[in-house]
């Protein structure tokens, strides 16, 4: 089991546990990749006589979706009304769509969205869009992106993703149209930013920003890391670049993603026994995830990245998410 601090110790010492404490612990385990532990805790909760609530089931479904526990997740989703008297809400549908999408069951995910008792919102369609991108289903991704834009016409990330999908398929007229729509609406892409604390000071890194006083040294160190990783099999995955660039430019763009810069600075600045802790404002991309898994093994370091969805704990070439994120 991955260790994440004293929350489990505090919880185990609680004399009385209400539905809030149970639900919080289940959600915390799920967010940190301890899905099986979250499920076991849910069973303990039921045996304790504490009745799960709406939030509890969200945590359980989140745990299932982030560990690929399809049968368990579908069971709890389909039985929540019968077993606990809880009507499925958007969050429950969203987690179940996520569950199906992560394992590539995109048709079933679409079917579930169409069966929703409440109107699907932009978050639901974004969840499907994310799965389509991971599994490279361009046609369905385009459909999902258009649904997001209808419901949230100012969502910069979806425009960028849609533009990238068109670019990957050489559909340059559509790329031009998407970018024209962005200009007309005054929409700009939020830059990826990662933060790391070193010597009680927060250091921020943004792609293309050279303002850090040690940026030249960081770039040199990152170049060396990438060369070493490539010698053991790392290949930059340019599918995750959000621009229509030439191949070499696409690899260079990936190289300077903000989390890579922050990690390189952490390796330079922190002793080996110190965990490298990174926070970032955008979801980690597949290339950076693979990069960090390999780097953690090569350097024998523990690296933790917190993105807007969950924590990723990298150690010995694996991540706590089990590559379900």
């Amino acid at each position: 089991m991955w260790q994440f601090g004293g929350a489990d110790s505090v919880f185990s010492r609680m004399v009385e546990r209400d539905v809030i404490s149970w639900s919080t612990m289940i959600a915390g385990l799920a967010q940190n990749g301890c899905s099986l532990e979250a499920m076991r805790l849910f069973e303990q909760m039921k045996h304790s006589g504490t009745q799960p609530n709406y939030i509890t089931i969200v945590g359980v479904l989140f745990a299932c979706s982030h560990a690929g526990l399809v049968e368990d997740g579908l069971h709890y989703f389909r039985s929540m009304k019968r077993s606990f008297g809880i009507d499925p809400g958007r969050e429950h549908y969203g987690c179940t769509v996520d569950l199906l999408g992560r394992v590539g069951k995109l048709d079933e995910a679409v079917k579930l969205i169409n069966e929703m008792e409440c109107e699907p919102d932009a978050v639901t369609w974004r969840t499907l869009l994310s799965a389509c991108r991971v599994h490279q289903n361009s046609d369905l991704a385009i459909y999902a992106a258009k649904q997001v834009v209808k419901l949230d016409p100012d969502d910069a990330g979806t425009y960028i993703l849609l533009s990238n999908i068109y670019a990957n398929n050489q559909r340059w007229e559509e790329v031009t149209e998407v970018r024209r729509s962005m200009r007309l609406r005054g929409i700009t892409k939020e830059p990826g930013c990662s933060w790391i604390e070193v010597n009680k000071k927060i250091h921020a890194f943004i792609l293309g920003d050279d303002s850090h006083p040690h940026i030249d040294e960081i770039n040199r160190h990152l170049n060396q890391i990438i060369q070493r990783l490539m010698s053991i099999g790392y290949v930059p995955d340019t599918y995750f670049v959000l621009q229509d660039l030439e191949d070499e430019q696409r690899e260079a763009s990936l190289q300077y993603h903000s989390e890579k810069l922050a990690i390189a600075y952490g390796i330079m600045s922190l002793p080996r026994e110190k965990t490298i802790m990174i926070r970032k404002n955008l979801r980690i991309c597949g290339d950076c995830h693979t990069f960090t898994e390999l780097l953690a093994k090569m350097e024998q370091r523990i690296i933790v990245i917190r993105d807007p969805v969950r924590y990723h704990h990298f150690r010995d070439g694996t991540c706590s998410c089990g590559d379900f994120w």
Side-chain angles (χ1 to χ4, degrees):
M1 175 179 173
W2 295 78
Q3 299 298 318
F4 306 111
D8 54 345
S9 177
V10 172
F11 182 79
S12 66
R13 296 197 304 269
M14 292 180 68
V15 178
E16 296 184 6
R17 301 168 182 165
D18 59 12
V19 65
I20 296 174
S21 55
W22 283 104
S23 301
T24 300
M25 195 65 200
I26 289 169
L29 288 167
Q31 282 191 319
N32 281 283
C34 293
S35 293
L36 295 178
E37 288 81 358
M39 302 304 290
R40 282 195 285 269
L41 195 64
F42 181 55
E43 292 302 315
Q44 292 178 30
M45 177 184 181
K46 291 191 292 182
H47 290 316
S48 76
T50 304
Q51 181 73 3
N53 65 12
Y54 187 101
I55 300 300
T56 313
I57 305 303
V58 171
V60 169
L61 293 176
F62 185 95
C64 291
S65 71
H66 285 260
L69 303 175
V70 179
E71 292 185 6
D72 288 329
L74 291 177
H75 165 73
Y76 286 119
F77 176 74
R78 291 166 178 163
S79 66
M80 57 186 288
K81 174 65 174 177
R82 180 178 67 254
S83 299
F84 310 116
I86 301 170
D87 291 314
R90 281 197 179 91
E91 292 83 1
H92 304 111
Y93 278 104
C95 285
T96 309
V97 169
D98 193 31
L99 169 69
L100 294 168
R102 287 175 188 274
V103 297
K105 295 180 179 292
L106 301 178
D107 290 340
E108 292 182 38
V110 173
K111 184 174 183 290
L112 182 62
I113 291 175
N114 292 331
E115 293 173 353
M116 286 179 64
E117 296 179 9
C118 47
E119 193 70 24
D121 59 3
V123 174
T124 306
W125 287 111
R126 279 194 205 98
T127 300
L128 178 63
L129 173 59
S130 177
C132 291
R133 176 155 174 76
V134 169
H135 296 287
Q136 301 188 19
N137 187 322
S138 297
D139 291 338
L140 187 54
I142 291 168
Y143 175 74
K146 289 181 177 179
Q147 302 309 308
V148 175
V149 170
K150 285 180 184 177
L151 295 166
D152 187 1
D154 295 325
D155 179 15
T158 297
Y159 283 100
I160 295 294
L161 187 52
L162 184 57
S163 173
N164 188 55
I165 293 168
Y166 284 138
N168 283 330
N169 287 276
Q170 307 292 307
R171 294 168 61 173
W172 303 115
E173 290 186 8
E174 285 92 338
V175 171
T176 301
E177 179 59 30
V178 170
R179 293 180 179 177
R180 187 182 71 84
S181 297
M182 291 181 68
R183 286 195 300 272
L184 289 174
R185 289 186 171 276
I187 297 171
T188 57
K189 179 181 181 293
E190 178 184 11
C193 184
S194 296
W195 299 268
I196 182 172
E197 181 177 344
V198 174
N199 297 326
K200 298 184 179 180
K201 182 179 178 181
I202 302 298
H203 298 259
F205 295 90
I206 299 174
L207 175 64
D209 180 10
D210 296 333
S211 62
H212 194 280
H214 303 294
I215 192 63
D216 291 338
E217 184 183 357
I218 294 167
N219 285 335
R220 284 195 298 271
H221 195 68
L222 180 55
N223 287 335
Q224 293 169 2
I225 289 172
I226 290 173
Q227 291 303 314
R228 291 173 60 203
L229 287 177
M230 292 179 74
S231 72
I232 61 173
Y234 167 63
V235 178
D237 189 346
T238 58
Y239 183 76
F240 294 96
V241 180
L242 298 184
Q243 300 101 357
D244 50 319
L245 303 174
E246 298 298 329
D247 288 344
E248 289 186 4
Q249 291 176 303
R250 289 164 74 87
E251 286 194 18
S253 176
L254 279 175
Q255 178 172 331
Y256 298 107
H257 275 190
S258 64
E259 55 265 56
K260 289 189 177 83
L261 293 167
I263 292 169
Y265 186 63
I267 289 176
M268 290 167 49
S269 308
L270 299 172
R272 186 173 296 275
E273 66 274 10
K274 183 78 170 178
T275 297
I276 297 172
M277 302 282 295
I278 309 291
R279 293 187 65 91
K280 68 186 308 288
N281 63 331
L282 302 178
R283 187 178 179 215
I284 186 172
C285 79
D287 177 74
C288 288
H289 196 273
T290 299
F291 168 91
T292 310
E293 283 182 326
L294 293 172
L295 181 59
K297 183 175 183 178
M298 184 178 75
E299 292 288 324
Q300 291 297 296
R301 302 290 296 253
I302 298 174
I303 303 171
V304 179
I305 297 180
R306 171 67 163 113
D307 70 12
V309 178
R310 63 177 300 160
Y311 289 87
H312 295 265
H313 298 253
F314 298 91
R315 177 191 294 163
D316 297 328
T318 62
C319 178
S320 59
C321 74
D323 293 338
F324 284 94
W325 87 98

